[in-house]
Amino acid sequence: FVPSPLAGSFSNLSRRIGAAAQNMGVLRVPQRAITQTVALFGLGGPAAGSGKYPLIAEEDVMKQKAHGTSEKPVMKNLRWGSDFETADRICNFNRHYAEFAGYWTSTNFLKEVDQVGETTYYDSVTGKALFIAPRGRTFEEFVAESKSHGWPSFRDEEVVWDNVRCLTNGETISVDGTHLGHNLPDRSGNRYCINLVSVAGEAERKD
């Protein structure tokens, strides 16, 4: 199901998205997530910021591959107790939906993550570095913003741009086709709201 900005009013479109998600039976989509998804299709704020970032990719990056939009499933040994099945659906068989708001706080993330230095967040499929945070702010500020929005939220300087792109509608992806989340800019600039299950991988092994 792909929501369309021509599908009626905001409330009607929200109901349709929610109903479709329930029928799919794969993802829990809270009203807040629906609101943000609808915003990406022209009924809310801008999907992509202005200036040097984000780097924009062509839709071809998300073409069908051996395993959804990726060449293989997500890793079995995801960090922070992230759920494998949820991660695989969101990363590889999904373009618009998200883990439920606050999911990341229900994992072991806040107990295990480095609260003093930077943490590198790796692609759950490929193991490539995608984000390094916090940068330019404290860990407490990173957590506060993420809690406020419901998903881990990264800024331009925290993105590993060698491996991350956005589409013109704001969808945030890896260069290999992993769905990560969406760019939902605010007054401070680009804000990449990312599914924890998409960035819970272990670092790739380089032989």
Side-chain angles (χ1 to χ4, degrees), residues 20-150:
Q22 290 179 352
N23 289 336
M24 289 170 64
V26 295
L27 298 175
R28 174 184 173 188
V29 186
Q31 182 62 38
R32 184 172 187 175
I34 294 171
T35 300
Q36 293 181 334
T37 300
V38 171
L40 298 176
F41 290 86
L43 298 179
S50 59
K52 183 178 180 181
Y53 298 115
L55 299 183
I56 302 299
E58 298 295 330
E59 175 67 29
D60 186 61
V61 175
M62 299 300 283
K63 67 183 179 182
Q64 290 297 298
K65 305 180 184 72
H67 190 77
T69 57
S70 299
E71 293 294 348
K72 58 186 179 181
V74 299
M75 303 174 185
K76 292 288 187 180
N77 57 331
L78 295 174
R79 291 191 290 178
W80 308 305
S82 300
D83 182 70
F84 172 85
E85 292 186 0
T86 300
D88 200 49
R89 287 194 296 267
I90 288 178
C91 290
N92 299 320
F93 299 96
N94 163 63
R95 302 294 303 280
H96 306 296
Y97 299 110
E99 65 195 20
F100 63 82
Y103 169 84
W104 63 284
T105 63
S106 72
T107 68
N108 299 330
F109 177 80
L110 290 174
K111 296 178 181 178
E112 298 177 0
V113 71
D114 186 347
Q115 300 191 18
V116 178
E118 297 177 340
T119 294
T120 301
Y121 297 81
Y122 299 99
D123 191 319
S124 293
V125 177
T126 67
K128 292 182 179 179
L130 301 176
F131 302 93
I132 302 174
R135 284 188 167 175
R137 54 179 170 172
T138 66
F139 175 78
E140 289 74 20
E141 289 170 334
F142 167 74
V143 169
E145 180 171 72
S146 298
K147 285 185 175 180
S148 174
H149 299 297

